[in-house]
Every structure is written in structure tokens, then in C-alpha cells.
Amino acid sequence: MMIAGIDEAGKGPVIGPMCIGGVKIEDSKAHILKVLGVADSKKLTPKKREQLAAQIKKHADGFFVLEVSPSQIDELRKIMSMNEIMVVCFAKVLEQLKPDTVYVDAADVKAERFAENVCRQYSKTCPDHAKEIKIISMHQADAIYPVVSAASIIAKVRRDELIEELKKEWCTDFGSGYPSDPKTKGFLLKWGKEHCGEFPSIVRQSWQTVENIREELKKVE
């Protein structure tokens, strides 16, 4: 039996893409992930995550990372909530992996509802398989199921790579991209001042953080 785990990295940042990772592995060898030391990606150092990502890819029967750009997120947010975007993205990763059972990190206050919504979305493209697949949705699934931890790790490593590429491309260190990061906020304030409240394509324009900074800049004027 093939099992899979799906998790996201970068749902909350105001800068950079969101990555949704999926890892598929034969159930009988899933214990390998535990042996490797796979754990919740947030508790691992970047170096450890990179090492583990390489190992995960070597042992997995399949893996996939969906990259969603800031502009794609902004466009989708015009017609749906962030939770609905997560449903669409998780279903897209499922389309690539097609496991028998999938464990997902719930992006909804009601974990069960998230599983139902993912299944409904998945049935639009894979109706036959959607009837057979078992979707287990849980909060903090990345801390409970090693296969979800593995998905979380490859998603986080890919997002970190993309963030580093953006910093080189834009010749600036904007920090982690999270609204709580002083470096990120400093970058946004400086850019907003210099460009009359307009922001570059690496920024999620629909984020409240951006609105707040625009308001701050108006007061300064």
C-alpha cells in the first residue's frame, strides 16, 4: 500500500512563494523515515533539513513540490479564501502522487472538513481514484506522521532555496519574508517609501501587512 504525506511551507509570509510538498512511500518501508530522523521541519536547522531532504528523495517512491507565486496567491485570493487555496493546492499535489492513503496537515480549524474538501476538489480531476483514496487530515500532522514531516521538510527546503534566489536576484536581504520579521518589515517600508506605496512582484499585494504599510506611509506624508 502506498501512503503519502502533504504539507505546506510559506502560507503566512508576505514575501515569496508558498510551497506544498508531497512525499509518497510504500507503507512497509515508511519506518525508514523515522530511522532517518525525520521530524517537524520547524524544529530542525536549515542544514539538517537539507540533509534530510536529500535522504527522503532517495528513499521515497515519489515526491512533488507545488510552487505558488505571490501573484498567483493574490489572484486566487480575489475569488477564494486562503483555506480554499490550500484545498486546491493539496489536491494538485495528490494528482501527482495518487497514493492509497494520504495524511495531510489540516489547513482548516475543522480537520475533518479539510479532508472532505480536498477529496471533493480531487474528484474533479480524478473521480475514480477519489472514491477509493483515504484522506486523513489532522492538525500538526507534521509532528505526528513521519511521512507528513517528510513532506514538510521538502517543501521548506524548496521555499528556502527560492527565497535565497530572490535575495540574489533583487540584491537585497529582506529576511525570512514573514510579517513578524523586522528585516522584512524594514525592507517593505523602505521600498514603499521609495516607490510611492507600490511593491515588487515578490510581495503578496493582498496581505494586510502591505495595507498597513501603505497606511503608515500616508500618515508620514
Side-chain angles (χ1 to χ4, degrees):
M1 185 178 81
M2 284 289 176
I3 65 165
I6 302 177
D7 198 8
E8 55 77 25
K11 181 185 177 184
V14 62
I15 297 178
M18 174 170 73
C19 292
I20 293 91
V23 170
K24 179 170 76 171
I25 193 165
E26 176 63 50
D27 192 25
S28 61
K29 61 173 189 174
H31 65 278
I32 291 169
L33 298 173
K34 227 172 187 172
V35 174
L36 290 174
V38 163
D40 178 359
S41 70
K42 292 181 279 294
K43 292 175 182 168
L44 301 167
T45 64
K47 194 165 194 276
K48 184 67 179 164
R49 279 197 297 263
E50 280 174 36
Q51 289 167 349
L52 282 170
Q55 290 293 314
I56 289 161
K57 288 172 182 177
K58 204 165 82 179
H59 292 285
D61 291 286
F63 63 88
F64 180 71
V65 179
L66 177 72
E67 296 167 17
V68 193
S69 72
S71 60
Q72 286 172 317
I73 292 169
D74 288 335
E75 280 306 304
L76 288 168
R77 271 170 64 94
K78 289 175 185 173
I79 53 167
M80 59 178 80
S81 70
M82 204 60 203
N83 279 5
E84 288 167 329
I85 293 171
M86 301 307 289
V87 167
V88 170
C89 293
F90 275 48
K92 277 196 179 300
V93 175
L94 259 189
E95 283 169 33
Q96 299 294 321
L97 300 175
K98 293 189 168 67
D100 301 301
T101 298
V102 62
Y103 299 89
V104 301
D105 198 28
D108 187 331
V109 287
K110 291 185 178 173
E112 224 167 88
R113 180 172 64 190
F114 187 68
E116 287 162 10
N117 289 339
V118 170
C119 193
R120 196 176 298 121
Q121 181 67 29
Y122 183 54
S123 68
K124 291 177 186 177
T125 50
C126 305
D128 295 336
H129 192 230
K131 287 173 195 161
E132 297 163 14
I133 195 169
K134 190 176 181 186
I135 301 176
I136 296 157
S137 171
M138 235 173 175
H139 294 119
Q140 292 171 325
D142 53 343
I144 301 162
Y145 302 108
V147 72
V148 182
S149 305
S152 168
I153 287 164
I154 66 161
K156 184 85 175 83
V157 167
R158 182 61 187 140
R159 181 176 145 83
D160 286 349
E161 283 170 2
L162 292 168
I163 288 295
E164 288 314 308
E165 283 170 22
L166 289 175
K167 285 178 184 175
K168 280 183 191 143
E169 191 186 323
W170 291 80
C171 304
T172 184
D173 181 4
F174 51 73
S176 63
Y178 280 83
S180 57
D181 186 338
K183 250 187 192 175
T184 301
K185 196 170 180 203
F187 164 79
L188 291 170
L189 270 169
K190 187 171 182 285
W191 188 282
K193 265 181 206 160
E194 290 168 3
H195 299 85
C196 307
E198 293 301 313
F199 293 92
S201 59
I202 57 170
V203 173
R204 301 181 192 179
Q205 315 287 329
S206 59
W207 249 233
Q208 189 59 45
T209 314
V210 173
E211 279 307 305
N212 294 348
I213 285 171
R214 284 189 177 130
E215 287 305 312
E216 264 181 65
L217 293 171
K218 276 180 197 165
K219 283 174 197 167
V220 175
E221 286 167 16

